[in-house]
Amino acid sequence: MGYSAKFKVWRGDDEGGALEDFDVDVNEGEVVLDIVHRLQATQAPDLAVRWNCKAGKCGSCSAEVNGKPRLMCMTRMSTFDPAETITITPMRTFPVIRDLVTDVSYNYTKARMVPAFAPPADLEPGDYRMAQVDVERSQEFRKCIECFLCNNTCHAVRDHEDNKDGFSGPRFLMRIAELDMHPLDTVDRRDVAVEDHGLGYCNITKCCTEVCPEHIHITDNALIPLKERVADKKYDPLFSVSSLFRKATGRDKAPETPKG
Amino acid sequence: MTELERHSYDVIVIGAGGAGLRAAIEARENGKRVAIICKSLFGKAHTVMAEGGIAAAMGNVNSNDNWQVHFRDTMRGGKFLNSWRMAELHAKEAPQRVWELETYGALFDRTKDGKISQRNFGGHEYPRLAHVGDRSGLELIRTLQQKIVSLQQEDFRASGDYESHIRVFSELTITRLLTNEGHMAGAFGYHRETGDLVLFQSPAVVLATGGIGKTFKVTSGSWEYTGDGHALAMRAGATTVNMEFIQFHPTGMVWPPSVKGILVTESVRGDGGILTNSEGKRFMFDYIPDVFKEKYATTPEEGDRWYTDPDNNRRPPELLPRDEVARAINSEVKAGRGTPHGGVFLDVSSRLPADVIRKKLPSMYHQFKELADVDITAEPMEVGPTCHYVMGGVEVEPDTEETRLPGLFAAGEVAGGLHGSNRLGGNSLSDLLVFGRRAGLGASEYVDRVGGAAPAVTDEMIAEAEAEALAPFGVEGGENPYTIHSELQETMNDLVGIIRTESEMQEALAKIEGYKERIRSVGVQGGRAFNPGWHLALDLKNMLLVAEAVAKAALERQESRGGHTRDDYPAMSPEWRQVNLICRSTGDAVELTRQPLSPMRGDLLDLFEVSELSKYLTESELPKGEH
């Protein structure tokens, strides 16, 4: 069942690098990350790669396999032709540290800019009551394993380094949507979404949704509804009145929007 | 030579899983400046892999549940070797810790009346696990991570600096704890990304480094599980307790080979899944041990009725504690009734409709579909035991989590005591929260008590730590660390695994001595920037020390109990229940001593029937008088 596969792996650091060729054994049932580990154990002990769980749960082993943003632990070797040369490169949007490891601190900086969950001040622990149907909308986004493949793929930053300042990428716009749909959250983040996180940069090409290993409907269920809420606020002449009403009742939420 | 990077904090938390993050939150809420040290990226720690849920007797699904019932279940699961005080604190405080997560933004699955839903799990009398589908660990770690961020935002508003009170150091490994005259003084390590060395000075350190799974070949643990905290603590002068108790989770994936060991959540059984052998038999009915005879169904019909009518039927034996189920699977496979890939069948496809399976077990569905080409809504899974958890760990004082070394605290999997000889599913995430908080509090109070300043760290101490960390670079053409690691994993799996005998453990200890020799000549290629070979060479030293502690304790304990099964001593012994096995490091070896368990407080003893206690305790320990 085993065979010898041809691999090209990008090796280098922030000063430059190149694809290096390897011939490596492949066994039945293996994934790309297994092959990288075999390279470390037998041919390149200092080959840098991030990984943790090897089960698609932690989102550490993001890279580009034959140009496609993927988790290496969830990319099965059986999806390739044994004669095919498989090329592994680091995520392109983030600066390279070494080999397949990139500096993803951009994401942690953006995470810190999202106003946190804020429950009603008088709600005691243990008294939270929410219907399953209401938590499910945000639960979908909380499946996110922060592999950052969506942010890596989004062309608004992938091809435009200078957009990184103003745009937080799908991951953190989805986080804003998640908090916005939390049944007990009291903060309005619509202005923040536009001004601090660059919601307007997103032109809903759905590339993020396509690469999401958790199959979250990022564009349809998070980004488009968020855009609709922002539009509601911006263009609704009654908004200021209804906003006051919502603040007064402690329910500062946008009206329901249908899922995409 | 560049200047050594130095930091000074009130509290250093080593490990950024559930226990570490909860400890950091508590220390910060007590006004302390805290460094959180993660071996990987922030939010990737092993907690993320927990699937089933958080055990807490909230009574949302069955109002008969309360802390006393949870306490009893935990003691039974651990075969009464638990630290009873930890089990008491754990059962009492777990509900508060779960409710608190909702104030941080957690979104658990709900009951019909909008409360946190709770699910059944092995060894728990009532539905008790707060959960989010089968990705409960992800919810826990993300919630704590986001709480840390929200505290940093508060600090920013107050001081203009996000990191004025909490700073997260990602991809940083600690190689040594520094002590001065028997007190905690700091920690020394390296940045994984650059290889630059770094010194932390601090009067208090919380260890929250998780487990030791990577010492074994078939494991559900990630690369981080190299026993760092256990080894750091022992080398610094603290002790470990009962390291022989290793939980082999009954259901790991067995095929394909590259995913062997990856966890299949117990929720599959909690939600109705059954175990069958190659003859199609539901074999668990043949493996109900005497101590649990009254609690489990004796026929499949009764077991099936329990799911809808738990008050009038007993639970199916698929939900026995994990040690029992793992041994049963092992026996079936050994008897030649295993599956083609050497496991048994775990079937949920014939038990629940496909859409319910996808809803309740989404990540299991995903995992089998993508990694094994198996559709669990249409066919059974193949599963077998996998090294999952170490019940033993660093010895701590139950209320404060302080170790024997003043200023050093430990919480979560790295700490020992709570789970006795076997942990119940769901009790790990609650452990992280209850004792993570207590460790953060204990460390804060310690810092207040000693007046804030850390004892001095001398140049000599730093030079020693540097030399140790960089030693593998000085070896020309040395041995590959990957080779020794894989040999160690085979040794532990084959000789100190799920079933143990004296001769095999002697053999393992002899092999470990050999690895200890060879590790001196391990060399690494390449430079210091993100060099996995170097990282492994250093981690391997920790794994070897831990492996020696496990093997020595396992050889010493001449009985079978929980996660320690001796072929040559198959019975559980009330005399051995009174013994804790303590390990220390003497520098180049592990020294083992016996230490008596403290007798359980009377009011806790009164929670059990004497007839049950008499299965575990010696005659002289049994309460006198009426019950």
Side-chain angles (χ1 to χ4, degrees):
Chain A
M1 197 52 214
Y3 68 98
S4 178
K6 291 200 180 309
F7 269 76
K8 284 183 185 294
V9 181
W10 194 89
R11 302 212 59 190
D13 54 27
D14 55 353
E15 287 172 9
L19 290 169
E20 208 170 297
D21 290 303
F22 295 99
D23 290 320
V24 54
D25 290 341
V26 175
N27 301 315
E28 185 181 6
E30 287 186 330
V31 294
V32 168
L33 186 59
D34 289 312
I35 310 309
V36 173
H37 284 160
R38 184 161 300 126
L39 286 175
Q40 284 182 328
T42 58
Q43 302 181 45
D46 62 337
L47 171 61
V49 61
R50 272 199 192 104
W51 70 286
N52 273 30
C53 75
K54 210 174 166 292
K57 291 182 169 54
C58 76
S60 300
C61 63
S62 306
E64 305 194 357
V65 181
N66 289 346
K68 291 204 179 75
R70 308 268 318 179
L71 293 178
M72 286 185 276
C73 73
M74 298 301 278
T75 306
R76 301 188 69 190
M77 288 301 296
S78 59
T79 58
F80 303 103
D81 186 314
E84 192 176 347
T85 298
I86 298 165
T87 304
I88 316 177
T89 48
M91 285 193 284
R92 200 178 87 193
T93 302
F94 309 117
V96 166
I97 293 173
R98 209 169 147 258
D99 302 341
L100 301 175
V101 175
T102 56
D103 175 0
V104 292
S105 57
Y106 160 84
N107 298 285
Y108 290 93
T109 305
K110 297 298 182 186
R112 213 150 62 176
M113 290 165 52
V114 178
F117 170 65
D122 56 351
L123 188 59
E124 293 296 320
D127 290 346
Y128 285 48
R129 296 291 178 273
M130 295 175 263
Q132 180 63 34
V133 65
D134 291 331
V135 300
E136 266 168 19
R137 296 189 302 170
S138 295
Q139 278 183 332
E140 182 191 4
F141 311 140
R142 292 182 72 80
K143 279 161 59 184
C144 171
I145 56 175
E146 297 206 327
C147 63
F148 308 128
L149 285 173
C150 59
N151 280 6
N152 172 55
T153 304
C154 181
H155 60 91
V157 279
R158 188 177 174 90
D159 300 322
H160 303 280
E161 183 68 27
D162 48 341
N163 283 350
K164 281 186 180 170
D165 265 351
F167 182 56
S168 298
R171 164 60 190 129
F172 297 102
L173 292 167
M174 180 175 84
R175 167 75 173 140
I176 292 170
E178 172 213 314
L179 288 162
D180 208 33
M181 294 180 199
H182 189 301
L184 291 172
D185 180 66
T186 59
V187 176
D188 185 343
R189 293 176 189 76
R190 281 175 287 184
D191 289 342
V192 167
V194 176
E195 288 157 20
D196 297 349
H197 296 274
L199 180 61
Y201 289 75
C202 164
N203 49 11
I204 56 175
T205 52
K206 298 197 181 186
C207 310
C208 52
T209 303
E210 264 173 47
V211 298
C212 177
E214 285 294 311
H215 308 298
I216 300 170
H217 297 95
I218 305 172
T219 317
D220 288 348
N221 291 353
L223 304 184
I224 292 175
L226 188 62
K227 280 173 174 278
E228 287 172 350
R229 284 167 196 231
V230 167
D232 281 350
K233 180 179 174 183
K234 211 167 174 181
Y235 299 113
D236 181 357
L238 289 178
F239 175 76
S240 49
V241 179
S242 64
S243 163
L244 282 175
F245 172 74
R246 284 192 214 101
K247 289 269 185 225
T249 57
R251 292 219 161 264
D252 186 21
K253 308 297 285 185
E256 296 272 23
T257 45
K259 283 193 178 183
Chain B
M1 168 130 182
T2 51
E3 189 76 5
L4 178 68
E5 179 184 334
R6 290 167 185 258
H7 301 279
S8 182
Y9 285 89
D10 296 325
V11 178
I12 301 172
V13 177
I14 306 176
L21 297 186
R22 190 61 190 81
I25 289 168
E26 197 64 18
R28 152 65 177 73
E29 307 253 46
N30 280 276
K32 300 294 172 277
R33 290 183 62 251
V34 188
I36 299 172
I37 296 171
C38 329
K39 208 166 158 183
S40 52
L41 290 174
F42 190 30
K44 306 294 184 196
H46 208 275
T47 304
V48 85
M49 294 188 71
E51 291 160 356
I54 313 173
M58 296 181 285
N60 291 351
V61 173
N62 189 323
S63 58
N64 292 322
D65 204 10
N66 56 45
W67 77 262
Q68 288 94 338
V69 186
H70 192 184
F71 171 78
R72 278 199 297 261
D73 289 345
T74 301
M75 293 299 296
R76 284 174 188 138
K79 303 263 164 56
F80 281 73
L81 197 78
N82 320 54
S83 154
W84 52 263
R85 175 61 177 161
M86 287 176 88
E88 178 195 10
L89 292 170
H90 170 253
K92 281 182 174 167
E93 294 177 6
Q96 283 298 336
R97 297 287 82 76
V98 172
W99 288 325
E100 198 169 63
L101 292 179
E102 288 198 302
T103 72
Y104 301 170
L107 282 173
F108 294 105
D109 288 347
R110 317 307 295 182
T111 62
K112 285 204 166 52
D113 52 356
K115 296 177 182 173
I116 296 171
S117 179
Q118 299 187 267
R119 69 157 37 117
N120 282 306
F121 235 57
H124 293 281
E125 188 159 345
Y126 298 117
R128 189 175 284 148
L129 271 63
H131 60 275
V132 184
D134 54 4
R135 57 160 190 85
S136 309
L138 173 64
E139 185 68 12
L140 177 69
I141 198 161
R142 199 66 80 232
T143 298
L144 293 173
Q145 178 186 351
Q146 288 164 350
K147 175 65 178 176
I148 300 263
V149 166
S150 82
L151 290 170
Q152 290 181 320
Q153 291 173 344
E154 270 179 34
D155 293 338
F156 180 77
R157 286 193 290 273
S159 70
D161 178 6
Y162 282 111
E163 295 176 337
S164 68
H165 275 75
I166 304 178
R167 179 162 169 196
V168 179
F169 292 84
S170 285
E171 302 195 306
L172 196 153
T173 301
I174 295 296
T175 53
R176 184 183 268 226
L177 297 178
L178 305 173
T179 59
N180 192 328
E181 295 186 354
H183 286 72
M184 215 51 242
F188 187 90
Y190 63 91
H191 289 282
R192 301 176 75 84
E193 288 181 6
T194 57
D196 292 341
L197 303 176
V198 51
L199 169 70
F200 292 88
Q201 287 180 271
S202 168
V205 171
V206 177
L207 291 174
T209 52
I212 65 165
K214 275 293 159 190
T215 323
F216 288 80
K217 186 176 171 198
V218 179
T219 175
S220 62
S222 80
W223 68 267
E224 295 191 283
Y225 262 34
T226 52
D228 293 5
H230 300 80
L232 290 170
M234 279 197 281
R235 286 205 196 95
T239 49
T240 59
V241 57
N242 295 341
M243 290 297 286
E244 65 277 27
F245 295 110
I246 308 274
Q247 180 167 83
F248 291 85
H249 193 291
T251 59
M253 292 176 82
V254 295
W255 194 91
S258 77
V259 299
K260 190 164 179 166
I262 290 180
L263 190 64
V264 179
T265 177
E266 190 168 324
S267 316
V268 176
R269 284 170 285 138
D271 291 342
I274 54 169
L275 291 164
T276 57
N277 61 22
S278 60
E279 296 164 1
K281 184 177 180 193
R282 249 179 105 171
F283 58 83
M284 279 309 300
F285 289 94
D286 300 340
Y287 292 93
I288 306 172
D290 278 346
V291 288
F292 292 119
K293 271 271 184 291
E294 293 89 37
K295 303 247 168 234
Y296 287 82
T298 45
T299 63
E301 293 71 26
E302 183 186 356
D304 287 350
R305 285 197 303 269
W306 173 83
Y307 286 102
T308 47
D309 181 12
D311 292 339
N312 297 305
N313 294 284
R314 291 170 296 178
R315 57 184 39 230
E318 276 89 358
L319 292 176
L320 275 160
R322 289 174 174 172
D323 54 329
E324 310 289 354
V325 183
R327 272 192 300 272
I329 293 174
N330 199 61
S331 302
E332 286 296 306
V333 175
K334 266 200 171 156
R337 295 187 291 268
T339 63
H341 299 108
V344 295
F345 292 112
L346 171 61
D347 183 33
V348 70
S349 66
S350 64
R351 310 276 295 171
L352 295 172
D355 58 325
V356 176
I357 296 171
R358 278 192 294 266
K359 170 93 188 104
K360 286 192 159 186
L361 303 164
S363 82
M364 284 306 103
Y365 175 74
H366 185 69
Q367 181 175 313
F368 273 88
K369 193 91 188 145
E370 309 238 342
L371 292 175
D373 270 337
V374 168
D375 177 356
I376 68 167
T377 68
E379 54 190 315
M381 298 160 249
E382 282 182 69
V383 296
T386 178
C387 177
H388 184 55
Y389 191 87
V390 57
M391 272 69 69
V394 178
E395 192 189 11
V396 293
E397 197 285 311
D399 286 67
T400 63
E401 316 333 304
E402 189 166 13
T403 68
R404 298 251 193 125
L405 173 63
L408 181 64
F409 299 76
E413 187 171 353
V414 70
L418 168 63
H419 307 292
S421 67
N422 172 56
R423 174 175 71 78
L424 295 184
N427 272 0
S428 181
L429 294 186
S430 42
D431 173 8
L432 306 182
L433 295 170
V434 168
F435 294 103
R437 175 185 156 275
R438 281 186 164 270
L441 188 61
S444 300
E445 288 173 352
Y446 175 85
V447 172
D448 291 339
R449 213 160 53 235
V450 299
V457 171
T458 63
D459 289 347
E460 206 181 340
M461 287 153 70
I462 295 170
E464 244 178 68
E466 273 190 15
E468 177 183 58
L470 299 177
F473 287 108
V475 182
E476 284 288 321
E479 190 170 5
N480 182 344
Y482 295 94
T483 312
I484 302 182
H485 184 210
S486 90
E487 286 181 35
L488 172 69
Q489 289 182 305
E490 300 252 358
T491 298
M492 293 304 283
N493 231 78
D494 296 348
L495 304 176
V496 199
I498 185 164
I499 310 288
R500 300 163 174 173
T501 65
E502 181 170 334
S503 58
E504 288 186 347
M505 287 185 286
Q506 302 274 22
E507 192 186 333
L509 280 164
K511 288 189 174 210
I512 290 169
E513 284 306 314
Y515 304 141
K516 278 161 71 177
E517 273 308 308
R518 282 163 62 190
I519 197 179
R520 290 181 223 279
S521 61
V522 157
V524 296
Q525 292 178 26
R528 271 160 64 176
F530 218 113
N531 185 338
W534 177 39
H535 302 167
L536 180 61
L538 296 176
D539 291 348
L540 193 51
K541 288 172 66 173
N542 297 337
M543 286 187 268
L544 278 176
L545 186 62
V546 166
E548 186 178 344
V550 171
K552 280 200 167 148
L555 180 62
E556 179 83 357
R557 186 175 289 277
Q558 295 178 335
E559 65 158 349
S560 292
R561 176 187 301 275
H564 171 64
T565 305
R566 290 280 300 252
D567 222 12
D568 40 359
Y569 298 95
M572 188 160 71
S573 142
E575 284 74 30
W576 268 107
R577 194 207 69 85
Q578 296 176 292
V579 179
N580 277 334
L581 294 177
I582 306 296
C583 287
R584 294 180 169 71
S585 166
T586 60
D588 52 5
V590 169
E591 181 189 271
L592 185 104
T593 51
R594 295 185 187 189
Q595 179 177 298
L597 247 78
S598 72
M600 200 191 299
R601 220 172 55 219
D603 59 310
L604 296 176
L605 218 46
D606 288 346
L607 295 173
F608 298 92
E609 299 288 331
V610 174
S611 59
E612 181 173 17
L613 290 176
S614 65
K615 294 172 185 170
Y616 299 98
L617 274 53
T618 60
E619 190 63 38
S620 64
E621 293 173 281
L622 292 174
K624 311 288 180 277
E626 292 297 306
H627 274 275

